[in-house]
Amino acid sequence: MADEKKDTEPSSYAGTVKVAIRGRDYYVHISAPMPMMSLEDLQKGLERNRAIIKASQETMRDMFTREAFEYAAPWLLNYDGPTQDAIQAHININMLVPLINLKGGAANYEKPETFPVKQRIEMMRNVAEKSVFVDRMLNQNTMNTAITMTFMLAVILGLVLL
C-alpha cells in the first residue's frame, strides 16, 4: 500500500472531524452555517467563536496551574472540555471568515487562526503552561532570595577563612 500518514489533519470541515492532540483523539461534529443566515449573525458567530477560544485558553491555564502548583487530583483536571471547545471554535472560524467575506462583510483571519487546528490547539496548551511558569517566576520575591544568598555566601566564606 501507499505510505499513509498516521497523524493526518482534518481536510473536510463538514461532518465529524477527528483531531489528535497530545495522544488523545477528539471528535468534533461540524456543520456549515445555514445559507440564509444574515451577515450580522455570521459576524456575531465569528466574535462568539473567538471569545470561546480565549475562554478555553484561560481554562487551560487555570487547569495547568492547578496541576503543577496546587497538585490537584487528576480526576479534577478538565483539559478535555476546553480542548474540545477550542477545536470546535477554530474550525467554525475557518468556515465563518470566508462566508462573511462572501456575503459582503469584512472579516480577516488573526494570525493563530491561519494554523491547522492541531497546531493551534497544541500551541494554546504550550502557551498556557509557559505563561503559568512565567507568572510564578515574576511573582517570586527576589529580595528574600538575594538576602538568603548573601547570608549563605558570608557563612561559606567565614568557614573557608577560619
Side-chain angles (χ1 to χ4, degrees):
M1 304 256 165
D3 290 332
E4 292 183 24
K5 291 175 78 177
K6 290 183 179 181
D7 195 22
T8 59
E9 292 295 324
S11 59
S12 172
Y13 287 148
T16 301
V17 176
K18 174 184 157 188
V19 182
I21 307 290
R22 293 191 176 185
R24 187 170 190 308
D25 292 338
Y26 294 90
Y27 293 91
V28 178
H29 183 73
I30 302 297
S31 58
M34 303 277 285
M36 69 284 282
M37 284 185 75
S38 68
L39 179 60
E40 183 179 309
D41 289 338
L42 292 172
Q43 289 172 332
K44 283 181 187 176
L46 178 63
E47 293 308 313
R48 176 67 187 131
N49 281 289
R50 286 180 173 159
I52 290 171
I53 291 279
K54 289 177 183 162
S56 296
Q57 179 75 47
E58 283 302 313
T59 305
M60 287 178 193
R61 189 179 187 289
D62 292 341
M63 287 301 120
F64 187 73
T65 300
R66 292 176 64 193
E67 178 183 13
F69 295 103
E70 297 173 10
Y71 307 109
W75 57 85
L76 297 175
L77 300 174
N78 180 17
Y79 286 109
D80 297 336
T83 301
Q84 189 91 6
D85 291 342
I87 291 169
Q88 181 92 40
H90 180 83
I91 294 173
N92 286 341
I93 289 168
N94 280 325
M95 284 191 299
L96 288 169
V97 170
L99 285 173
I100 290 170
N101 291 331
L102 185 66
K103 289 202 175 221
N108 296 316
Y109 288 103
E110 294 175 359
K111 177 64 176 173
E113 295 166 357
T114 62
F115 297 127
V117 65
K118 178 180 178 177
Q119 183 181 356
R120 168 91 185 267
I121 305 306
E122 287 176 347
M123 284 174 45
M124 287 176 66
R125 290 280 297 266
N126 292 338
V127 165
E129 292 169 2
K130 288 178 183 176
S131 69
V132 167
F133 282 118
V134 168
D135 285 351
R136 291 290 174 150
M137 292 299 167
L138 291 177
N139 290 337
Q140 286 183 349
N141 190 348
T142 56
M143 187 62 171
N144 289 341
T145 304
I147 291 171
T148 304
M149 293 302 289
T150 304
F151 177 73
M152 295 296 287
L153 182 63
V155 169
I156 291 173
L157 284 174
L159 291 174
V160 169
L161 295 175
L162 289 177

